Every structure is written in C-alpha cells, then in structure tokens.
Short mmCIF file of all heavy atoms in Angstrom, two decimals:
data_model
loop_
_atom_site.label_atom_id
_atom_site.label_comp_id
_atom_site.label_asym_id
_atom_site.label_seq_id
_atom_site.Cartn_x
_atom_site.Cartn_y
_atom_site.Cartn_z
N MET A 206 -27.68 -63.50 9.61
CA MET A 206 -27.85 -64.62 8.69
C MET A 206 -28.25 -64.06 7.33
O MET A 206 -29.15 -63.25 7.22
CB MET A 206 -28.92 -65.57 9.22
CG MET A 206 -29.10 -66.80 8.37
SD MET A 206 -30.33 -67.97 9.00
CE MET A 206 -29.51 -68.60 10.43
N THR A 207 -27.57 -64.50 6.28
CA THR A 207 -27.87 -64.03 4.94
C THR A 207 -29.09 -64.73 4.38
O THR A 207 -29.56 -65.73 4.91
CB THR A 207 -26.67 -64.28 3.99
OG1 THR A 207 -26.55 -65.68 3.79
CG2 THR A 207 -25.38 -63.70 4.54
N THR A 208 -29.61 -64.20 3.28
CA THR A 208 -30.76 -64.81 2.63
C THR A 208 -30.44 -66.23 2.16
O THR A 208 -31.26 -67.13 2.30
CB THR A 208 -31.21 -63.96 1.42
OG1 THR A 208 -31.51 -62.65 1.89
CG2 THR A 208 -32.44 -64.55 0.76
N ALA A 209 -29.23 -66.44 1.65
CA ALA A 209 -28.82 -67.78 1.21
C ALA A 209 -28.79 -68.74 2.39
O ALA A 209 -29.20 -69.90 2.27
CB ALA A 209 -27.46 -67.73 0.53
N GLN A 210 -28.31 -68.28 3.54
CA GLN A 210 -28.28 -69.14 4.73
C GLN A 210 -29.69 -69.47 5.19
O GLN A 210 -29.98 -70.59 5.57
CB GLN A 210 -27.49 -68.47 5.86
CG GLN A 210 -26.00 -68.47 5.62
CD GLN A 210 -25.26 -67.68 6.68
OE1 GLN A 210 -25.75 -66.66 7.17
NE2 GLN A 210 -24.08 -68.15 7.04
N LYS A 211 -30.59 -68.49 5.15
CA LYS A 211 -31.98 -68.73 5.53
C LYS A 211 -32.60 -69.75 4.60
O LYS A 211 -33.31 -70.65 5.02
CB LYS A 211 -32.77 -67.43 5.50
CG LYS A 211 -32.49 -66.51 6.64
CD LYS A 211 -33.32 -65.25 6.54
CE LYS A 211 -32.92 -64.25 7.61
NZ LYS A 211 -33.64 -62.99 7.49
N SER A 212 -32.33 -69.63 3.31
CA SER A 212 -32.86 -70.56 2.32
C SER A 212 -32.37 -71.97 2.59
O SER A 212 -33.13 -72.93 2.55
CB SER A 212 -32.46 -70.12 0.91
OG SER A 212 -32.89 -71.06 -0.03
N SER A 213 -31.07 -72.11 2.89
CA SER A 213 -30.50 -73.42 3.18
C SER A 213 -31.11 -74.01 4.44
O SER A 213 -31.41 -75.20 4.50
CB SER A 213 -28.98 -73.33 3.35
OG SER A 213 -28.37 -73.07 2.11
N THR A 214 -31.31 -73.17 5.44
CA THR A 214 -31.91 -73.64 6.69
C THR A 214 -33.32 -74.13 6.45
O THR A 214 -33.72 -75.18 6.94
CB THR A 214 -31.89 -72.53 7.76
OG1 THR A 214 -30.54 -72.12 7.97
CG2 THR A 214 -32.49 -72.99 9.06
N VAL A 215 -34.09 -73.40 5.67
CA VAL A 215 -35.46 -73.80 5.35
C VAL A 215 -35.44 -75.12 4.58
O VAL A 215 -36.22 -76.02 4.87
CB VAL A 215 -36.19 -72.69 4.55
CG1 VAL A 215 -37.50 -73.19 4.00
CG2 VAL A 215 -36.42 -71.47 5.42
N GLU A 216 -34.54 -75.23 3.61
CA GLU A 216 -34.40 -76.49 2.85
C GLU A 216 -34.09 -77.65 3.78
O GLU A 216 -34.67 -78.72 3.66
CB GLU A 216 -33.25 -76.37 1.83
CG GLU A 216 -33.70 -76.11 0.44
CD GLU A 216 -32.52 -76.08 -0.51
OE1 GLU A 216 -31.70 -77.01 -0.50
OE2 GLU A 216 -32.44 -75.11 -1.26
N ALA A 217 -33.17 -77.45 4.70
CA ALA A 217 -32.79 -78.51 5.63
C ALA A 217 -33.96 -78.89 6.53
O ALA A 217 -34.21 -80.08 6.75
CB ALA A 217 -31.59 -78.08 6.46
N VAL A 218 -34.68 -77.92 7.02
CA VAL A 218 -35.83 -78.19 7.88
C VAL A 218 -36.91 -78.96 7.11
O VAL A 218 -37.49 -79.92 7.61
CB VAL A 218 -36.40 -76.88 8.49
CG1 VAL A 218 -37.73 -77.11 9.17
CG2 VAL A 218 -35.39 -76.28 9.46
N GLU A 219 -37.16 -78.55 5.87
CA GLU A 219 -38.13 -79.25 5.04
C GLU A 219 -37.69 -80.68 4.76
O GLU A 219 -38.50 -81.62 4.81
CB GLU A 219 -38.37 -78.50 3.73
CG GLU A 219 -39.13 -77.21 3.92
CD GLU A 219 -39.24 -76.39 2.66
OE1 GLU A 219 -38.68 -76.78 1.61
OE2 GLU A 219 -39.88 -75.32 2.71
N ALA A 220 -36.41 -80.86 4.50
CA ALA A 220 -35.88 -82.21 4.25
C ALA A 220 -36.03 -83.08 5.49
O ALA A 220 -36.38 -84.27 5.38
CB ALA A 220 -34.40 -82.12 3.84
N VAL A 221 -35.80 -82.52 6.65
CA VAL A 221 -35.97 -83.26 7.91
C VAL A 221 -37.42 -83.71 8.05
O VAL A 221 -37.70 -84.86 8.40
CB VAL A 221 -35.54 -82.42 9.13
CG1 VAL A 221 -36.03 -83.02 10.43
CG2 VAL A 221 -34.03 -82.26 9.15
N GLU A 222 -38.36 -82.82 7.76
CA GLU A 222 -39.78 -83.15 7.88
C GLU A 222 -40.16 -84.28 6.93
O GLU A 222 -40.87 -85.21 7.32
CB GLU A 222 -40.63 -81.92 7.62
CG GLU A 222 -40.52 -80.87 8.71
CD GLU A 222 -41.20 -79.55 8.35
OE1 GLU A 222 -41.86 -79.47 7.30
OE2 GLU A 222 -41.07 -78.60 9.14
N VAL A 223 -39.70 -84.20 5.69
CA VAL A 223 -40.01 -85.23 4.69
C VAL A 223 -39.40 -86.57 5.11
O VAL A 223 -40.06 -87.62 5.05
CB VAL A 223 -39.51 -84.81 3.29
CG1 VAL A 223 -39.60 -85.95 2.31
CG2 VAL A 223 -40.31 -83.61 2.79
N LEU A 224 -38.15 -86.54 5.55
CA LEU A 224 -37.49 -87.76 5.99
C LEU A 224 -38.16 -88.35 7.22
O LEU A 224 -38.39 -89.56 7.29
CB LEU A 224 -36.00 -87.50 6.27
CG LEU A 224 -35.17 -88.69 6.74
CD1 LEU A 224 -35.25 -89.85 5.74
CD2 LEU A 224 -33.73 -88.27 6.97
N ARG A 225 -38.52 -87.51 8.17
CA ARG A 225 -39.19 -87.99 9.38
C ARG A 225 -40.52 -88.67 9.04
O ARG A 225 -40.86 -89.72 9.57
CB ARG A 225 -39.42 -86.85 10.38
CG ARG A 225 -39.92 -87.34 11.73
CD ARG A 225 -40.20 -86.21 12.71
NE ARG A 225 -39.18 -85.19 12.80
CZ ARG A 225 -38.08 -85.26 13.53
NH1 ARG A 225 -37.83 -86.34 14.24
NH2 ARG A 225 -37.22 -84.27 13.55
N GLU A 226 -41.28 -88.09 8.12
CA GLU A 226 -42.55 -88.69 7.69
C GLU A 226 -42.33 -90.06 7.05
O GLU A 226 -43.06 -91.01 7.33
CB GLU A 226 -43.27 -87.76 6.71
CG GLU A 226 -43.86 -86.53 7.35
CD GLU A 226 -44.43 -85.56 6.33
OE1 GLU A 226 -44.56 -85.91 5.14
OE2 GLU A 226 -44.75 -84.42 6.74
N ALA A 227 -41.32 -90.16 6.19
CA ALA A 227 -41.03 -91.43 5.52
C ALA A 227 -40.58 -92.48 6.53
O ALA A 227 -41.00 -93.64 6.46
CB ALA A 227 -39.97 -91.23 4.45
N LEU A 228 -39.73 -92.08 7.46
CA LEU A 228 -39.26 -93.01 8.48
C LEU A 228 -40.41 -93.46 9.38
O LEU A 228 -40.52 -94.63 9.73
CB LEU A 228 -38.15 -92.37 9.32
CG LEU A 228 -36.81 -92.17 8.62
CD1 LEU A 228 -35.91 -91.27 9.45
CD2 LEU A 228 -36.15 -93.49 8.32
N THR A 229 -41.27 -92.54 9.75
CA THR A 229 -42.43 -92.87 10.58
C THR A 229 -43.32 -93.88 9.87
O THR A 229 -43.80 -94.84 10.48
CB THR A 229 -43.22 -91.60 10.94
OG1 THR A 229 -42.36 -90.73 11.70
CG2 THR A 229 -44.45 -91.93 11.77
N ALA A 230 -43.54 -93.67 8.58
CA ALA A 230 -44.35 -94.60 7.79
C ALA A 230 -43.74 -96.00 7.77
O ALA A 230 -44.45 -97.00 7.68
CB ALA A 230 -44.53 -94.07 6.37
N ALA A 231 -42.41 -96.07 7.89
CA ALA A 231 -41.71 -97.35 7.90
C ALA A 231 -41.55 -97.89 9.32
O ALA A 231 -40.93 -98.94 9.52
CB ALA A 231 -40.33 -97.20 7.26
N GLY A 232 -42.10 -97.18 10.30
CA GLY A 232 -42.01 -97.63 11.68
C GLY A 232 -40.66 -97.36 12.33
O GLY A 232 -40.26 -98.07 13.25
N ILE A 233 -39.97 -96.34 11.84
CA ILE A 233 -38.62 -96.03 12.34
C ILE A 233 -38.60 -94.61 12.90
O ILE A 233 -39.12 -93.68 12.27
CB ILE A 233 -37.58 -96.16 11.21
CG1 ILE A 233 -37.53 -97.60 10.71
CG2 ILE A 233 -36.20 -95.68 11.65
CD1 ILE A 233 -36.72 -97.79 9.46
N ALA A 234 -37.97 -94.45 14.06
CA ALA A 234 -37.80 -93.13 14.66
C ALA A 234 -36.33 -92.88 14.92
O ALA A 234 -35.66 -93.71 15.53
CB ALA A 234 -38.59 -93.02 15.95
N LEU A 235 -35.82 -91.77 14.42
CA LEU A 235 -34.46 -91.34 14.73
C LEU A 235 -34.59 -90.15 15.68
O LEU A 235 -34.90 -89.04 15.26
CB LEU A 235 -33.71 -90.92 13.45
CG LEU A 235 -33.52 -91.99 12.38
CD1 LEU A 235 -32.75 -91.42 11.19
CD2 LEU A 235 -32.79 -93.20 12.95
N PRO A 236 -34.38 -90.38 16.98
CA PRO A 236 -34.63 -89.34 17.98
C PRO A 236 -33.85 -88.04 17.78
O PRO A 236 -34.32 -86.97 18.12
CB PRO A 236 -34.23 -90.00 19.30
CG PRO A 236 -34.23 -91.45 19.03
CD PRO A 236 -33.93 -91.62 17.58
N SER A 237 -32.67 -88.13 17.21
CA SER A 237 -31.83 -86.93 17.06
C SER A 237 -31.92 -86.30 15.68
O SER A 237 -31.14 -85.41 15.36
CB SER A 237 -30.37 -87.29 17.35
OG SER A 237 -30.24 -87.78 18.66
N LEU A 238 -32.85 -86.75 14.85
CA LEU A 238 -32.99 -86.22 13.49
C LEU A 238 -33.30 -84.73 13.54
O LEU A 238 -34.20 -84.30 14.25
CB LEU A 238 -34.12 -86.96 12.76
CG LEU A 238 -34.43 -86.54 11.34
CD1 LEU A 238 -33.23 -86.79 10.43
CD2 LEU A 238 -35.65 -87.28 10.83
N GLY A 239 -32.52 -83.94 12.81
CA GLY A 239 -32.76 -82.50 12.77
C GLY A 239 -31.82 -81.79 11.83
O GLY A 239 -30.84 -82.37 11.34
N ALA A 240 -32.14 -80.54 11.54
CA ALA A 240 -31.26 -79.72 10.70
C ALA A 240 -30.04 -79.32 11.52
O ALA A 240 -30.14 -79.06 12.72
CB ALA A 240 -32.01 -78.48 10.22
N ASP A 241 -28.88 -79.30 10.88
CA ASP A 241 -27.64 -78.90 11.53
C ASP A 241 -27.56 -77.38 11.52
O ASP A 241 -27.17 -76.78 10.51
CB ASP A 241 -26.45 -79.51 10.81
CG ASP A 241 -25.11 -79.17 11.45
OD1 ASP A 241 -25.10 -78.41 12.44
OD2 ASP A 241 -24.10 -79.68 10.97
N THR A 242 -27.97 -76.75 12.60
CA THR A 242 -28.01 -75.29 12.66
C THR A 242 -26.63 -74.67 12.84
O THR A 242 -26.47 -73.46 12.67
CB THR A 242 -28.94 -74.82 13.79
OG1 THR A 242 -28.48 -75.39 15.02
CG2 THR A 242 -30.37 -75.24 13.53
N ALA A 243 -25.63 -75.48 13.16
CA ALA A 243 -24.28 -74.96 13.37
C ALA A 243 -23.60 -74.59 12.05
O ALA A 243 -22.66 -73.81 12.03
CB ALA A 243 -23.43 -75.97 14.11
N SER A 244 -24.08 -75.15 10.94
CA SER A 244 -23.48 -74.86 9.64
C SER A 244 -24.56 -74.74 8.57
O SER A 244 -24.63 -75.56 7.67
CB SER A 244 -22.47 -75.95 9.28
OG SER A 244 -23.09 -77.22 9.36
N PRO A 245 -25.41 -73.71 8.66
CA PRO A 245 -26.53 -73.58 7.74
C PRO A 245 -26.11 -73.44 6.28
O PRO A 245 -26.85 -73.85 5.39
CB PRO A 245 -27.25 -72.33 8.23
CG PRO A 245 -26.25 -71.57 9.01
CD PRO A 245 -25.32 -72.60 9.59
N ASP A 246 -24.93 -72.90 6.03
CA ASP A 246 -24.46 -72.73 4.66
C ASP A 246 -24.18 -74.07 3.98
O ASP A 246 -24.16 -74.15 2.75
CB ASP A 246 -23.23 -71.83 4.60
CG ASP A 246 -22.11 -72.29 5.50
OD1 ASP A 246 -22.40 -72.83 6.58
OD2 ASP A 246 -20.94 -72.12 5.12
N LEU A 247 -23.98 -75.14 4.75
CA LEU A 247 -23.72 -76.46 4.18
C LEU A 247 -25.00 -77.26 3.96
O LEU A 247 -24.98 -78.30 3.32
CB LEU A 247 -22.76 -77.24 5.07
CG LEU A 247 -21.36 -76.66 5.20
CD1 LEU A 247 -20.53 -77.48 6.18
CD2 LEU A 247 -20.68 -76.60 3.85
N ASN A 248 -26.12 -76.79 4.54
CA ASN A 248 -27.42 -77.45 4.35
C ASN A 248 -27.38 -78.92 4.77
O ASN A 248 -27.85 -79.80 4.06
CB ASN A 248 -27.84 -77.31 2.88
CG ASN A 248 -29.33 -77.40 2.70
OD1 ASN A 248 -30.10 -77.17 3.63
ND2 ASN A 248 -29.76 -77.75 1.52
N LEU A 249 -26.82 -79.18 5.96
CA LEU A 249 -26.65 -80.55 6.45
C LEU A 249 -27.81 -80.99 7.33
O LEU A 249 -28.44 -80.18 8.01
CB LEU A 249 -25.35 -80.65 7.26
CG LEU A 249 -24.06 -80.35 6.51
CD1 LEU A 249 -22.89 -80.37 7.48
CD2 LEU A 249 -23.85 -81.33 5.38
N ILE A 250 -28.05 -82.29 7.31
CA ILE A 250 -29.05 -82.91 8.18
C ILE A 250 -28.29 -83.77 9.18
O ILE A 250 -27.44 -84.58 8.81
CB ILE A 250 -30.01 -83.81 7.37
CG1 ILE A 250 -30.67 -83.03 6.24
CG2 ILE A 250 -31.04 -84.46 8.29
CD1 ILE A 250 -31.49 -81.86 6.66
N ASN A 251 -28.63 -83.63 10.45
CA ASN A 251 -28.03 -84.44 11.51
C ASN A 251 -28.93 -85.63 11.76
O ASN A 251 -30.06 -85.48 12.24
CB ASN A 251 -27.87 -83.59 12.77
CG ASN A 251 -27.23 -84.35 13.89
OD1 ASN A 251 -26.79 -85.49 13.73
ND2 ASN A 251 -27.16 -83.73 15.04
N LEU A 252 -28.45 -86.82 11.42
CA LEU A 252 -29.23 -88.03 11.66
C LEU A 252 -29.08 -88.50 13.10
O LEU A 252 -29.93 -89.21 13.61
CB LEU A 252 -28.81 -89.14 10.70
CG LEU A 252 -29.00 -88.82 9.21
CD1 LEU A 252 -28.47 -89.96 8.36
CD2 LEU A 252 -30.44 -88.54 8.89
N GLY A 253 -28.02 -88.11 13.75
CA GLY A 253 -27.83 -88.37 15.16
C GLY A 253 -27.52 -89.81 15.51
O GLY A 253 -27.23 -90.64 14.66
N ARG A 254 -27.63 -90.07 16.78
CA ARG A 254 -27.34 -91.40 17.32
C ARG A 254 -28.60 -92.24 17.27
O ARG A 254 -29.71 -91.74 17.40
CB ARG A 254 -26.84 -91.26 18.75
CG ARG A 254 -25.52 -90.52 18.80
CD ARG A 254 -25.15 -90.14 20.19
NE ARG A 254 -25.16 -91.30 21.08
CZ ARG A 254 -24.66 -91.29 22.28
NH1 ARG A 254 -24.13 -90.20 22.76
NH2 ARG A 254 -24.69 -92.37 23.03
N VAL A 255 -28.41 -93.54 17.09
CA VAL A 255 -29.54 -94.44 16.99
C VAL A 255 -29.14 -95.80 17.57
O VAL A 255 -27.98 -96.20 17.48
CB VAL A 255 -30.00 -94.56 15.51
CG1 VAL A 255 -28.93 -95.15 14.63
CG2 VAL A 255 -31.28 -95.32 15.38
N ARG A 256 -30.10 -96.49 18.17
CA ARG A 256 -29.82 -97.83 18.71
C ARG A 256 -29.54 -98.79 17.56
O ARG A 256 -29.99 -98.63 16.43
CB ARG A 256 -31.04 -98.33 19.50
CG ARG A 256 -31.31 -97.59 20.77
CD ARG A 256 -32.42 -98.24 21.60
NE ARG A 256 -33.42 -98.94 20.82
CZ ARG A 256 -34.64 -98.48 20.54
NH1 ARG A 256 -35.02 -97.31 21.00
NH2 ARG A 256 -35.50 -99.20 19.84
N ALA A 257 -28.82 -99.85 17.87
CA ALA A 257 -28.43 -100.85 16.86
C ALA A 257 -29.65 -101.50 16.22
O ALA A 257 -29.68 -101.69 15.00
CB ALA A 257 -27.54 -101.92 17.49
N ASP A 258 -30.69 -101.80 16.99
CA ASP A 258 -31.87 -102.43 16.41
C ASP A 258 -32.59 -101.51 15.43
O ASP A 258 -33.10 -101.95 14.40
CB ASP A 258 -32.84 -102.93 17.49
CG ASP A 258 -33.42 -101.82 18.35
OD1 ASP A 258 -32.65 -100.95 18.80
OD2 ASP A 258 -34.64 -101.85 18.58
N VAL A 259 -32.56 -100.21 15.69
CA VAL A 259 -33.17 -99.25 14.78
C VAL A 259 -32.34 -99.14 13.50
O VAL A 259 -32.88 -99.08 12.39
CB VAL A 259 -33.35 -97.87 15.45
CG1 VAL A 259 -33.87 -96.84 14.48
CG2 VAL A 259 -34.27 -98.00 16.66
N ALA A 260 -31.02 -99.16 13.63
CA ALA A 260 -30.15 -99.12 12.45
C ALA A 260 -30.37 -100.35 11.57
O ALA A 260 -30.42 -100.23 10.34
CB ALA A 260 -28.68 -99.04 12.89
N LEU A 261 -30.55 -101.51 12.20
CA LEU A 261 -30.81 -102.72 11.43
C LEU A 261 -32.17 -102.65 10.73
O LEU A 261 -32.31 -103.08 9.58
CB LEU A 261 -30.73 -103.95 12.33
CG LEU A 261 -29.34 -104.28 12.85
CD1 LEU A 261 -29.42 -105.39 13.90
CD2 LEU A 261 -28.41 -104.68 11.71
N ARG A 262 -33.16 -102.10 11.40
CA ARG A 262 -34.48 -101.92 10.79
C ARG A 262 -34.39 -100.98 9.61
O ARG A 262 -34.96 -101.24 8.55
CB ARG A 262 -35.46 -101.39 11.84
CG ARG A 262 -36.80 -100.98 11.31
CD ARG A 262 -37.77 -102.14 11.24
NE ARG A 262 -39.09 -101.65 10.89
CZ ARG A 262 -39.66 -101.86 9.71
NH1 ARG A 262 -39.08 -102.59 8.80
NH2 ARG A 262 -40.85 -101.36 9.44
N LEU A 263 -33.67 -99.90 9.75
CA LEU A 263 -33.48 -98.94 8.67
C LEU A 263 -32.79 -99.60 7.48
O LEU A 263 -33.21 -99.44 6.32
CB LEU A 263 -32.67 -97.74 9.16
CG LEU A 263 -32.38 -96.63 8.14
CD1 LEU A 263 -33.65 -96.09 7.53
CD2 LEU A 263 -31.59 -95.52 8.82
N ALA A 264 -31.75 -100.37 7.74
CA ALA A 264 -31.05 -101.08 6.67
C ALA A 264 -31.99 -102.05 5.95
O ALA A 264 -31.98 -102.15 4.72
CB ALA A 264 -29.85 -101.84 7.24
N ASP A 265 -32.84 -102.73 6.71
CA ASP A 265 -33.79 -103.68 6.12
C ASP A 265 -34.79 -102.94 5.22
O ASP A 265 -35.06 -103.39 4.09
CB ASP A 265 -34.53 -104.43 7.23
CG ASP A 265 -35.51 -105.42 6.69
OD1 ASP A 265 -35.10 -106.30 5.89
OD2 ASP A 265 -36.70 -105.33 7.05
N VAL A 266 -35.31 -101.83 5.68
CA VAL A 266 -36.26 -101.05 4.89
C VAL A 266 -35.61 -100.56 3.59
O VAL A 266 -36.19 -100.62 2.51
CB VAL A 266 -36.82 -99.87 5.71
CG1 VAL A 266 -37.57 -98.87 4.83
CG2 VAL A 266 -37.72 -100.38 6.82
N LEU A 267 -34.37 -100.08 3.69
CA LEU A 267 -33.66 -99.61 2.51
C LEU A 267 -33.40 -100.74 1.53
O LEU A 267 -33.60 -100.58 0.31
CB LEU A 267 -32.34 -98.95 2.91
CG LEU A 267 -32.47 -97.60 3.62
CD1 LEU A 267 -31.13 -97.16 4.18
CD2 LEU A 267 -33.06 -96.56 2.70
N ARG A 268 -33.00 -101.87 2.02
CA ARG A 268 -32.75 -103.04 1.14
C ARG A 268 -34.02 -103.46 0.41
O ARG A 268 -34.00 -103.72 -0.78
CB ARG A 268 -32.20 -104.20 1.94
CG ARG A 268 -30.75 -104.05 2.29
CD ARG A 268 -30.21 -105.35 2.88
NE ARG A 268 -28.90 -105.11 3.42
CZ ARG A 268 -28.58 -105.22 4.70
NH1 ARG A 268 -29.48 -105.59 5.58
NH2 ARG A 268 -27.36 -104.97 5.10
N ARG A 269 -35.13 -103.54 1.13
CA ARG A 269 -36.39 -103.95 0.50
C ARG A 269 -36.85 -102.91 -0.53
O ARG A 269 -37.41 -103.28 -1.54
CB ARG A 269 -37.47 -104.16 1.56
CG ARG A 269 -37.29 -105.49 2.30
CD ARG A 269 -38.47 -105.81 3.20
NE ARG A 269 -38.38 -105.02 4.45
CZ ARG A 269 -39.32 -104.20 4.87
NH1 ARG A 269 -40.43 -104.05 4.23
NH2 ARG A 269 -39.16 -103.54 6.01
N GLY A 270 -36.57 -101.66 -0.24
CA GLY A 270 -36.97 -100.59 -1.17
C GLY A 270 -36.15 -100.58 -2.44
O GLY A 270 -36.61 -100.08 -3.46
N TYR A 271 -34.96 -101.12 -2.38
CA TYR A 271 -34.08 -101.11 -3.55
C TYR A 271 -33.80 -102.49 -4.09
O TYR A 271 -32.91 -102.68 -4.91
CB TYR A 271 -32.75 -100.40 -3.20
CG TYR A 271 -32.94 -98.93 -3.08
CD1 TYR A 271 -33.10 -98.33 -1.84
CD2 TYR A 271 -33.03 -98.14 -4.21
CE1 TYR A 271 -33.32 -96.98 -1.72
CE2 TYR A 271 -33.25 -96.77 -4.09
CZ TYR A 271 -33.39 -96.20 -2.85
OH TYR A 271 -33.61 -94.87 -2.74
N ALA A 272 -34.54 -103.48 -3.64
CA ALA A 272 -34.33 -104.85 -4.10
C ALA A 272 -35.00 -105.09 -5.44
O ALA A 272 -35.89 -104.45 -5.85
CB ALA A 272 -34.88 -105.83 -3.07
#
C-alpha cells in the first residue's frame, strides 16, 4: 500500500467516525457504515444496507437540517 493509499484510508476511516457520531446524535444507526477497503485510492465510504424506516428517518433529519 502506498503512502497516498494509506492517507486515503485514514481519511475514509475518519470520515466514517465523524458521520457515525452525527448519525448517532440524530438517533440513526447504519449497521454497515464503513470505509471501502477494496478501493482505498478512491477514498469511498460504504453506507451499506439499511431498513426502510431508518432511511425515512435519515431523510427526515436531512430535510429538517436544510429547511
């Protein structure tokens, strides 16, 4: 793994932690939330699968935050 890939992985992991904290504060849990380790050079976050009621709660929180 190159230094750039390590940096991207660290960025992705940090982003996951920040997002998880914000979601927890809003009463939302995404069980599959994590850094996408299969493609560290792309710095992707895997939001994963979520139940419909959780998706609706997330949409509601986002709407209220941007209303």
Side-chain angles (χ1 to χ4, degrees):
M206 183 179 290
T207 69
T208 302
Q210 287 175 324
K211 285 181 186 176
S212 176
S213 289
T214 301
V215 169
E216 259 183 51
V218 169
E219 289 174 358
V221 166
E222 291 171 5
V223 170
L224 180 56
R225 189 182 314 277
E226 288 174 10
L228 289 168
T229 299
I233 297 170
L235 299 180
S237 301
L238 179 63
D241 181 357
T242 57
S244 53
D246 54 325
L247 295 176
N248 204 22
L249 298 175
I250 305 300
N251 181 5
L252 299 176
R254 295 169 54 168
V255 63
R256 291 187 330 257
D258 63 314
V259 175
L261 292 172
R262 172 86 172 109
L263 180 56
D265 180 56
V266 167
L267 290 170
R268 283 190 190 116
R269 283 189 282 123
Y271 287 99

